Amino acid sequence: MTRTPPPSPTPQTSAGTTPGPKGDAALDAATPLAVDPALAELPQHLALVCSQFARLAARRSEVGVGSVSWRVVATIERLGPLRLSEIAERERVSRPTATTVIKRLEEEGLVRREADPTDSRSSLVSTTEAGSAQLAAWRGQLATGVGALLEPLPEEDLATLARASELLARVLESHDG
């Protein structure tokens, strides 16, 4: 596996502030991502390592299904009944792909479709009891597989990852959907 180096640390002035483009620490109008070259690479670095970590976690967890399946079930469980178009949008897939995934999950008894009371042309997809139970099992497998990866890390690093996870969840919550 190729390792992606993290962005270099943020340079600081002797006063402990991040210098602006010309070394001017008073330049507060621009965002740190635009001002600091080391932080400019953060978005693509995060996207890459998060994607690689998600694939590694899925491989190590042996959940028995593709990550799309358990992500869809988890999203429906977390947000409640959703329309197919909402599932497609949240998962960043085409509507036909979402339809195929939901059809398969429905055949497996993990989700069900019911008429949308506000729009007779649409249906709402929700998890079944079996879907909730399977999601709990998948989460347990992920905890075991990923837990083994994280276990050797020092407590300080685990706390940093927990905080980073909270921050990423907050970003997703405010911009997803």
Side-chain angles (χ1 to χ4, degrees):
M1 180 172 90
T2 306
R3 292 186 180 255
T4 305
S8 26
T10 304
Q12 296 193 339
T13 64
S14 59
T17 59
T18 304
K22 296 182 182 175
D24 181 6
L27 186 62
D28 291 331
T31 66
L33 291 178
V35 173
D36 187 340
L39 290 179
E41 294 183 22
L42 183 61
Q44 56 270 33
H45 181 71
L46 276 174
L48 179 62
V49 297
C50 286
S51 176
Q52 290 172 333
F53 186 80
R55 285 193 307 273
L56 176 62
R59 279 195 314 270
R60 300 231 356 154
S61 302
E62 300 178 22
V63 295
V65 295
S67 63
V68 170
S69 293
W70 60 262
R71 276 195 343 249
V72 168
V73 174
T75 297
I76 296 169
E77 175 119 329
R78 180 172 54 90
L79 299 175
L82 296 171
R83 290 185 180 107
L84 275 169
S85 57
E86 293 170 316
I87 293 167
E89 184 178 320
R90 288 187 172 280
E91 293 302 317
R92 305 292 193 260
V93 297
S94 68
R95 185 167 170 139
T97 298
T99 300
T100 301
V101 170
I102 293 303
K103 184 177 179 186
R104 187 178 70 247
L105 292 172
E106 198 172 22
E107 289 168 356
E108 293 172 11
L110 304 179
V111 301
R112 70 175 156 267
R113 291 188 222 203
E114 297 172 330
D116 183 345
T118 63
D119 182 355
S120 61
R121 299 168 296 162
S122 295
S123 60
L124 294 174
V125 181
S126 58
T127 56
T128 62
E129 281 188 39
S132 295
Q134 185 61 51
L135 182 59
W138 289 334
R139 285 181 172 144
Q141 291 168 319
L142 286 165
T144 300
V146 175
L149 294 171
L150 301 179
E151 203 170 84
L153 295 175
E155 196 170 316
E156 180 181 300
D157 289 350
L158 291 172
T160 299
L161 287 173
R163 178 71 177 130
S165 174
E166 291 169 7
L167 291 170
L168 287 172
R170 195 167 65 210
V171 167
L172 290 171
E173 213 172 89
S174 65
H175 294 353
D176 191 26

